[in-house]
Amino acid sequence: MSENVKPLGPDGAMRCFYLPTPPKLAADWQLSQPGSLDSLIALNGNHWRKILVIMAKLSAPDNDWRGYMSKLLKHDEQIRFGADALSPLAREHYVCGQQSAIALGLTPLSEAKTFRHQQENQSQIYLLPYLDYRQCPNALIADLRQLRDSLVD
């Protein structure tokens, strides 16, 4: 990674999200602590709650994203910040926003596209708008989940 920012989530995660900017974290913050995501949201505000909810909606194995929030970033997901290369271990890559796409050497989304999919070796790459409700609404999340599920079948 180009920046000296530690990713959030396990190194062996199968799903990796790429964001341009990390959240602020307390010096003693650890993802493994109970309530770690709540403290991240408390320090960074509603903006990060929205990001994590969209990640949960994309990551949950079913429609129970609220129940999945307690598992988010614990086993199957990782967030990389300012990355200039895709995670070699992830199978699904969610490139969020133009800055992340450019940093990874990918063509950003045009304004007319809601998301784009490409396959590279055994990995699925999904280029998305930044994880915000206005840019990444529930309809886009549902369409992306449907596409992703059809690729697995």
Side-chain angles (χ1 to χ4, degrees):
M1 294 196 325
S2 61
E3 295 185 22
N4 223 0
V5 178
K6 187 176 182 341
L8 295 182
D11 288 334
M14 67 171 245
R15 190 175 295 118
C16 191
F17 291 82
Y18 301 86
L19 293 169
T21 310
K24 293 179 241 161
L25 299 172
D28 62 346
W29 186 90
Q30 291 189 14
L31 184 59
S32 60
Q33 293 174 322
S36 61
L37 294 183
D38 291 334
S39 65
L40 182 153
I41 292 166
L43 187 58
N44 292 276
N46 199 40
H47 169 73
W48 268 90
R49 183 186 63 77
K50 292 175 184 177
I51 289 171
L52 295 170
V53 165
I54 292 170
M55 287 178 61
K57 287 179 176 183
L58 287 169
S59 299
D62 51 29
N63 290 327
D64 183 19
W65 62 266
R66 285 177 181 88
Y68 194 78
M69 285 293 288
S70 64
K71 299 177 181 103
L72 188 67
L73 296 170
K74 303 289 196 278
H75 305 285
D76 293 331
E77 303 85 22
Q78 183 183 67
I79 307 174
R80 290 182 170 223
F81 304 100
D84 58 9
L86 295 174
S87 166
L89 301 175
R91 306 271 303 196
E92 296 175 15
H93 304 274
Y94 296 85
V95 180
C96 307
Q98 289 190 345
Q99 282 183 302
S100 297
I102 291 168
L104 289 164
L106 302 168
T107 303
L109 289 175
S110 66
E111 295 209 15
K113 302 270 290 181
T114 55
F115 69 87
R116 187 173 74 232
H117 167 258
Q118 60 192 64
Q119 186 167 340
E120 192 171 292
N121 299 323
Q122 297 299 314
S123 293
Q124 307 300 325
I125 302 169
Y126 304 97
L127 283 92
L128 308 169
Y130 191 77
L131 299 185
D132 177 273
Y133 290 148
R134 292 175 302 249
Q135 297 178 60
C136 202
N138 285 335
L140 182 148
I141 294 167
D143 289 347
L144 178 58
R145 284 182 61 100
Q146 185 176 18
L147 169 68
R148 184 188 65 208
D149 293 348
S150 75
L151 296 171
V152 174
D153 294 341

